[in-house]
Structure formats: structure tokens, C-alpha cells
Amino acid sequence: MTILAPKLGELRRLNKGTEVIMERNTFHDLRTFLAYLKKNGQVQEINTRVDKTWEVGAICRENLDRDGPALIFNHVDDFRTPLVVGVLSTVQRYAAALRVPAKTSAFVEIWRNAYSNPIKPVQVQNAPCKEVKAVDIDLLRDPFPVPIWHPLDAGPELGTLHAVITKDPETGWTNLGTYRNEIFNKNTVGCYVAPNRHIGLHWHKWKKLGKPMPAAIAIGLAPTLCMTAVSAVPADVSEYDVAGGLQGSPIEVVEAETSDLLVPAHAEIIIEGEIPIDEFWPEEAPFGEFTGYMGMKRYDSQFMNVRCVTHRRDPYFQGTHEGRPPSESTMLRCVGRSAAMYEHLKRAGIPGILDVCVTPGSCAGFHCVVAIEKRYPGHVRDVFGHVWGQPTLFCKHVTVVDPDIDPWNPVQVEWATSTRVQADRDVEIVKGGKSIALDPSQVPSLRGLSALMGVDATKPLDEYARDKTEEFPASTDPLPESVARVRERWREYGFI
Ligand SMILES: Cc1cc2nc3c(=O)[nH]c(=O)nc-3n(C[C@H](O)[C@H](O)[C@H](O)COP(=O)(O)O)c2cc1C
């Protein structure tokens, strides 16, 4: 994935210029975004009949590796419903969805703005997602073209880029999260919940009440809902509010048919049901994971009894091909999780945090780079500890860099690591840290535990001071004022 590197100066300018971001008019559903992408040549419609068990996944993988367009499969086996994949898999399309420049600095800015200025959803009475009430649906046959995404998957995965919606029975907090849904039979789907997920917090409260948990699966979503459902939005904060903040207008919601859950009014498909509190499905998965490897089978897994399906007239079925980077999933999680980690460090009160990137190359999960203005002895270690302590992420590797390094630029980060780090002085290793079992570098008997590594890639200024011989060497870069003048005169030199 090509992530365009912002200059920190640019970032600061954007921070001051939030009015650019507030004036956006973004897309309230998948269709309007698809129409925009079509108009701009960013969609490939595939009208050839394709096989859902091997061909869809292979086309998606090839298309991701080519940095290709969004795909609409119009003829998956004999299904009439089109399958939409990859609408948000590139920096350009992510930017288009938010109507901001295709620069990570603009993404960072708009996410920070959404956290600071969330917008609550509004409830409507008539919703497109209820245009058709489907009766006697057999999810294995009809009407949605659910692929076997990877050759070794246990079954078709209905939910890959979607939201499972649940409510905290005590506080009313509505959570939206992307938790996959393998189809087990005509009206039962899995709901895989990794440890620490917010849906799990809700489930435990429903269990205490002794009642099954109402849940709704929303598929075919406005881009901002896809972005927030995968992005570690803090507990007790609804993804609806942050998505509204990203969108610049409230998300429209409607009451579900079988519960008081509020579901996105403009979703393509809503599948409602209940997740039992005292029954589990014996076996779920394996499924091709975001790490690029097959995950393991899960035993005694949560599942949902489907009670009702509604959808728009002629709906689109949306999904994504999980796997190694580059992928749509990495693109989405990288931006959203970087914003979530920034927010976490800010809420923890750590000073001097300038920018954060949960890197695409680490599957948007395992490595976090933080740029700081170092203010006190031990500051870098404080950052390590708080990154490791973020409750729902699992950034086992943390690199802390100075303000002159852009955390989104892997070459700059490696330059800092190469020229400012002595491993015996600047690398901290902590054994037995929190991780996820999907990290294949762990041997099976230690799954879920990981060694944590913190790399202090800031200039060793204090160490130089203690050495009292020389100062840390000066940079070879031109003076900032010279760069500024050269930029002003750039066209005069004949550059376009
Ligand atoms: C394509 C995709 C599929 C995902 N599948 C799952 C899943 O099956 N189970 C899970 O716990 N997390 C899954 N995740 C990660 C969660 O969606 C993500 O951590 C999100 O922040 C969870 O919401 P929560 O923070 O409200 O719990 C997936 C992410 C993506 C991008």
C-alpha cells in the first residue's frame, strides 16, 4: 500500500485549517459512494460469471496486489445480488470517502476532529434498509453471494466488512464492530469475538441479566461506518457518534424490527437476531486472517440465531478479502487505529505526542511508531508502557521517534532506527506481554502471550551530554528557511 507521507509542517498547517474539513459533504451510504467512484473511473464491474468458492478470492488478491479499483461482481454463481469489494482499499479512495486530500496528515486531522466533535445519530421512521422484508431466507442459498474467501476457510463468511450492532443493557451505549460471521446453516451464523472486544463487554452484561443479547448485522455501509467499526473506538463511545463526526452530519438510524437496537437506515442489508448467553457453537473457522495466515479453529464460539432479514430494493452485498497487506482491511485499520492510539495517549495525559502510526506493514496491528517532543527523562518509556497498555490493541513493537521523523514514512523511521539506536541502550524487551493468538511468531503453547519490544529511536542527547565530549552531529539538510524559499520559487525553476 502506498501511504503518502505528510511533512510535519504540513500536518501543523492542517491542524490549524480545520475549516477545510468541516465544509465537507460526505457520502451517507454505499450507493452514493459507489456512484461517485464509478464517475471517477474507480470501479471495475465484472460481468463474467465467477465462482464463489475459488475465483472471487483469487481475483480480489490479485487486484489488491495491483492497487486496483473497487470491484462489483455482477454474476457470482447464479446469484442476482451484486457483490461489492474494495471500495476503501486505497489511500485515494479512503480520502475520496472523507472528501479530504489523499494525505495521511488529512486523515489524522479529520479523525482527531471526529473524536473532539462527535455527532449523535438521528432516528428516522422510514428507512431504505427496510424496503424489503425477506421471508424464509436460507442464508446458505439465497439471496446474498457470500464467497469462500480463502481456499482453506471452513465456510462462507457473511460478515467481513460490516458492523455487528449491540447495546449495553445498563448504559444504553451502542457499539458497532466488525466481527466475522460464518454461515453455519440457513438461519445461524457465527460471531467471532476476540478477547477485549466491546461486544464481549455487552455480552457479559446480558449474561448477568440472564437474557440473550439482541444483535443486528448491518452490511453495505456508508464509508464512515466501515471505518469506525474496525477502529478501536474507546469503550462507552458509540461508533455512530464518531462516524457522524467523520461524516460531518448525523448518521440516520432506525429501530430494528425485533429489538430496540438502532440500525443504520441506509445500510443495504440488516440481519437481526439474538446471541445466546448459555449456548455456544462447537466449532468455528479456520478463516484467512489479516496477518496473511490461516487462523485456528475456534471451539465453543458465540453465534447468532437469525430472526429477521430486511434489505434495500436490489441490494448490494459488501465484503472484503482479508489477508496480508496490502488489503482493504489494513488500509482501514491502519488509519483508524492510529487515530485511536493517538486518542488513547492523549486521554492518558502523556505530553508531547505529535503523531502516531500503527503501521500498514505490521498488518496495522503489531507495530506502532510514535513521534514525540521529548520533555523529561523516562518520557519514551512512558510512551512504551501506555502503547502496550491500550486495552484493545496489541502493538507488541513500539518505536518512538523525534519530531523531525514522520511516523508514516517507513524510510524515515528506519533511518532514525539505524542512526539513533544502540540496541543495548535503547531497546526494552518485556516478556509475557499481551498479544493476540493470531500472531504466528508465537509457538502454540504460548499463544496469546508475546515479548514486547520498545525501541527508543530518538536522538541520544542526554547520553551525549553525559559523555561530555561532543554534541550529537548536526543534520546535513538545508536550513528550514532555505527550504521554505525554495518551495516558494519551485515553479520558477521550471518544475510543474
Ligand atoms: C475485515 C476485518 C475483519 C475483522 N474480523 C474480526 C473478527 O472476526 N473478530 C474480532 O474480534 N475482530 C475482528 N476485526 C477487528 C475488529 O473489527 C476491530 O478490532 C474493532 O475495533 C472491534 O470493535 P470494538 O473495538 O468496538 O470491539 C476485524 C477487522 C477487520 C478490518
Side-chain angles (χ1 to χ4, degrees):
M1 177 172 61
T2 338
I3 284 254
L4 304 182
K7 305 253 179 333
L8 277 173
E10 216 165 52
L11 174 64
R12 289 195 194 103
R13 272 203 308 281
L14 270 157
N15 279 344
K16 286 186 198 132
T18 36
E19 70 279 6
V20 175
I21 281 158
M22 299 308 291
E23 282 166 12
R24 292 159 315 105
N25 170 23
T26 52
F27 304 93
H28 67 286
D29 66 3
L30 173 64
R31 297 175 177 216
T32 45
F33 187 45
L34 267 182
Y36 169 89
L37 292 179
K38 276 187 193 178
K39 220 169 105 192
N40 288 280
Q42 279 290 307
V43 176
Q44 175 70 40
E45 296 212 38
I46 300 177
N47 295 315
T48 316
R49 186 182 196 275
V50 294
D51 189 297
K52 77 176 180 128
T53 56
W54 66 271
E55 203 168 5
V56 169
I59 293 171
C60 290
R61 183 66 264 168
E62 186 67 16
N63 187 52
L64 286 167
D65 286 335
R66 292 172 187 234
D67 218 11
L71 304 175
I72 301 180
F73 294 94
N74 283 321
H75 202 166
V76 179
D77 289 359
D78 289 325
F79 290 95
R80 278 187 53 238
T81 304
L83 165 67
V84 176
V85 181
V87 288
L88 292 166
S89 60
T90 64
V91 176
Q92 285 71 22
R93 293 201 285 277
Y94 196 101
L98 294 175
R99 291 203 189 272
V100 295
K103 291 181 180 156
T104 48
S105 52
F107 301 160
V108 166
E109 172 56 22
I110 195 166
W111 268 92
R112 287 180 193 171
N113 179 64
Y115 276 121
S116 309
N117 302 294
I119 298 178
K120 294 233 166 283
V122 290
Q123 192 168 344
V124 296
Q125 296 309 319
N126 295 317
C129 68
K130 296 200 180 189
E131 279 167 355
V132 179
K133 283 186 191 144
V135 278
D136 288 338
I137 274 204
D138 179 347
L139 289 172
L140 276 173
R141 290 161 176 266
D142 196 44
F144 310 124
V146 186
I148 305 276
W149 294 96
H150 318 91
L152 299 175
D153 283 359
E157 285 287 348
L158 176 82
T160 49
L161 191 62
H162 67 316
V164 181
I165 301 158
T166 54
K167 194 156 92 170
D168 183 323
E170 289 168 9
T171 66
W173 156 43
T174 298
N175 186 69
L176 283 79
T178 299
Y179 314 107
R180 70 171 178 247
N181 312 112
E182 180 181 333
I183 303 178
F184 294 139
N185 62 36
K186 69 177 198 167
N187 56 7
T188 318
V189 297
C191 186
Y192 171 63
V193 178
N196 304 328
R197 295 289 190 246
H198 293 155
I199 190 175
L201 302 180
H202 290 185
W203 184 83
H204 280 289
K205 290 194 178 177
W206 283 97
K207 189 172 163 67
K208 241 171 50 192
L209 285 178
K211 292 185 184 164
M213 177 167 70
I217 297 172
I219 300 172
L221 297 173
T224 52
L225 286 173
C226 289
M227 291 171 186
T228 47
V230 301
S231 290
V233 170
D236 297 316
V237 177
S238 177
E239 281 78 3
Y240 279 138
D241 302 3
V242 181
L246 282 178
Q247 198 170 270
S249 57
I251 303 289
E252 291 194 353
V253 293
V254 65
E255 194 166 279
E257 293 285 295
T258 58
S259 69
D260 65 355
L261 283 173
L262 293 175
V263 299
H266 298 274
E268 295 291 321
I269 299 162
I270 303 287
I271 299 173
E272 300 180 24
E274 284 167 352
I275 300 184
I277 49 166
D278 46 11
E279 266 183 277
F280 301 90
W281 205 260
E283 238 179 67
E284 190 261 359
F287 177 62
E289 290 288 353
F290 70 98
T291 54
Y293 304 92
M294 290 304 295
M296 55 287 280
K297 268 189 193 171
R298 305 286 175 172
Y299 300 100
D300 295 329
S301 175
Q302 268 130 348
F303 66 95
M304 176 168 144
N305 291 312
V306 175
R307 300 272 182 248
C308 166
V309 178
T310 66
H311 58 80
R312 291 177 75 148
R313 224 167 275 123
D314 299 324
Y316 287 103
F317 176 72
Q318 185 182 20
T320 201
H321 184 269
E322 269 288 28
R324 64 174 161 77
S327 70
E328 184 171 28
S329 159
T330 311
M331 175 70 232
L332 282 164
R333 286 178 298 110
C334 167
V335 177
R337 287 182 170 181
S338 300
M341 186 62 87
Y342 176 87
E343 196 61 21
H344 166 73
L345 294 172
K346 197 175 98 180
R347 288 180 189 205
I350 307 288
I353 304 295
L354 300 177
D355 203 356
V356 177
C357 176
V358 179
T359 65
S362 74
C363 313
F366 296 114
H367 184 198
C368 178
V369 183
V370 186
I372 68 165
E373 203 169 64
K374 241 188 329 185
R375 300 228 177 124
Y376 55 90
H379 193 171
V380 171
R381 267 62 180 172
D382 259 3
V383 174
F384 293 165
H386 280 83
V387 170
W388 292 329
Q390 203 285 354
T392 56
L393 297 180
F394 46 89
C395 299
K396 63 177 179 176
H397 297 164
V398 190
T399 304
V400 178
V401 294
D402 289 306
D404 64 328
I405 300 297
D406 172 9
W408 296 83
N409 183 324
V411 174
Q412 286 191 19
V413 174
E414 191 172 3
W415 176 61
T417 310
S418 305
T419 59
R420 299 175 190 182
V421 173
Q422 280 296 309
D424 60 345
R425 182 192 62 203
D426 298 316
V427 178
E428 297 292 347
I429 293 176
V430 178
K431 286 188 181 165
K434 167 185 71 150
S435 182
I436 51 163
L438 288 171
D439 175 354
S441 65
Q442 304 153 5
V443 293
S445 60
L446 293 176
R447 285 265 154 79
L449 290 176
S450 188
L452 309 176
M453 179 172 70
V455 179
D456 178 354
T458 59
K459 290 177 192 165
L461 300 180
D462 291 346
E463 291 79 355
Y464 263 67
R466 277 195 292 275
D467 204 43
K468 291 188 186 144
T469 44
E470 289 171 29
E471 292 197 341
F472 190 81
S475 163
T476 54
D477 279 0
L479 297 173
E481 53 271 31
S482 308
V483 175
R485 286 204 59 199
V486 161
R487 283 186 183 162
E488 270 168 30
R489 299 189 61 194
W490 200 242
R491 279 171 184 269
E492 276 181 55
Y493 305 133
F495 295 108
I496 301 166

